[in-house]
Amino acid sequence: MASTSHAAKDRHVSESGYALFLIPGLIGFALVVLLPFLMNLGISFTRWKGIGMPTFIGIDNYARLIRDGTFWAAFQHSIAAVIAMAAIPTALGLFLAAVLYDYVAPRFGGKISSWLRAGFYLPQILPIAVAGVLWGWILSPIGVLNEVLKAVGLGALAHNWLGDPSTALLSVMAVMVWLQVGYALVVFMSGLARVDPSLYEAAELDGAPWLSRFRHITIPMLKPEIFVVGLTTTIAALKVFAPVYVLTSGGPDNATNVPSYFAYYHFFTTNRVGYGAAISSVQMLITLVLGLVFLRVQARQTEGER
């Protein structure tokens, strides 16, 4: 009994020694994340133009935010961003990773598979400004897409893709899918590298078709990676700013406006810093809640598998 108590005490002392290594990270978190968040939260309760002294107005900014139809429209566009940056890239990336790993690599060689993987990942390493200019040219009224449509006899479909409110959001969503799918694919291919190849070989010998192997081996074995990709891409979608800023600046007629750009607009264009801070605070709260839900679901699933 005494030896058990001494062992527990020694373990506690040993673990407390490691706590010192957390201090640099905690200091960085406090300076880079916590302090700016608390300052932003404090400013959200004020009326401030960015200069002079802010005036405390209580929850007026939040009351106005609830009645602001533009904010709710921007929030709905965030849901579209989640579909374009999280749902579609996760599903498409999983499918493409399985095709490259279980079909292309065995039949055409690892080099072909690696080249294709690198090609899908290329948009991730392009500066977003460069990608935005590139897609701006492609989707402009005199751009490549319309010229190709005319060349193949589909000139009636030529359109001002980013300038028309009816197609602007779909066009931006297509660019978001193009940007994100490479990230999901690389993570899933890394996950497939740890899957025992004998599972696929045994299934193939038993005559299991590719779709059956994908459903019963690939998806169950990649559940941890699917959660990670789903969480990180959802958070990225909720705070998306750069593609919208570069492609449409929230227009036309707020058709592609999202909360991050809406907050930026009030911070730097209308100089309603307090209102912009309120938008950012609500956005932060929504992202935090969704992140906790993701982690909770993952924890429950992990416990169920044990």
Side-chain angles (χ1 to χ4, degrees):
M1 191 72 178
S3 61
T4 305
S5 175
H6 282 299
K9 186 176 179 180
D10 291 342
R11 187 168 62 252
H12 176 72
V13 171
S14 175
E15 290 176 353
S16 62
Y18 289 117
L20 291 174
F21 293 97
L22 297 177
I23 292 176
L26 289 174
I27 292 174
F29 175 79
L31 292 177
V32 177
V33 178
L34 186 60
L35 182 59
F37 171 70
L38 293 177
M39 291 175 65
N40 182 78
L41 189 63
I43 293 171
S44 71
F45 294 106
T46 67
R47 182 186 298 113
W48 191 35
K49 291 185 176 295
I51 57 174
M53 290 297 293
T55 303
F56 182 76
I57 58 172
I59 62 170
D60 285 5
N61 284 326
Y62 291 96
R64 178 187 167 192
L65 191 62
I66 292 174
R67 300 189 302 270
D68 193 338
T70 306
F71 169 73
W72 291 110
F75 184 72
Q76 289 176 1
H77 298 156
S78 283
I79 297 173
V82 170
I83 294 172
M85 294 185 68
I88 295 176
T90 301
L92 189 58
L94 182 61
F95 178 78
L96 291 173
V99 169
L100 293 181
Y101 182 83
D102 190 29
Y103 186 84
V104 175
R107 287 164 178 77
F108 303 99
K111 285 188 178 179
I112 298 294
S113 175
S114 297
W115 274 102
L116 291 173
R117 180 179 58 187
F120 282 114
Y121 193 72
L122 182 62
Q124 281 283 306
I125 61 175
L126 277 180
I128 196 68
V130 174
V133 170
L134 174 69
W135 278 101
W137 286 343
I138 293 173
L139 298 172
S140 78
I142 55 171
V144 174
L145 180 56
N146 284 342
E147 292 301 319
V148 170
L149 289 172
K150 292 173 185 174
V152 297
L154 297 174
L157 298 178
H159 204 74
N160 186 2
W161 301 98
L162 293 173
D164 187 333
S166 65
T167 57
L169 183 59
L170 289 174
S171 301
V172 173
M173 287 174 68
V175 176
M176 289 175 176
V177 172
W178 176 78
L179 285 169
Q180 283 292 102
V181 71
Y183 163 70
L185 183 143
V186 167
V187 173
F188 291 141
M189 287 202 74
S190 300
L192 284 169
R194 66 173 173 75
V195 178
D196 189 351
S198 63
L199 293 174
Y200 288 98
E201 293 168 4
E204 204 165 359
L205 288 174
D206 289 341
W210 184 87
L211 277 177
S212 183
R213 298 199 298 273
F214 176 71
R215 179 183 172 189
H216 295 291
I217 298 177
T218 303
I219 294 178
M221 296 303 290
L222 290 182
K223 277 184 180 177
E225 286 80 6
I226 293 172
F227 270 109
V228 169
V229 171
L231 176 62
T232 52
T233 53
T234 299
I235 291 174
L238 291 173
K239 60 187 183 68
V240 64
F241 173 80
V244 173
Y245 176 78
V246 174
L247 288 169
T248 62
S249 296
D253 296 334
N254 292 318
T256 58
N257 206 354
V258 291
S260 292
Y261 187 83
F262 193 43
Y264 163 83
Y265 175 77
H266 282 292
F267 269 121
F268 298 105
T269 304
T270 66
N271 290 331
R272 293 171 179 163
V273 177
Y275 192 54
I279 297 168
S280 298
S281 297
V282 172
Q283 185 184 5
M284 168 75 179
L285 180 64
I286 293 171
T287 305
L288 189 62
V289 169
L290 280 177
L292 291 174
V293 168
F294 257 96
L295 293 174
R296 182 63 181 162
V297 170
Q298 185 182 17
R300 281 188 176 180
Q301 181 130 6
T302 304
E303 290 171 2
E305 290 174 353
R306 285 177 181 172

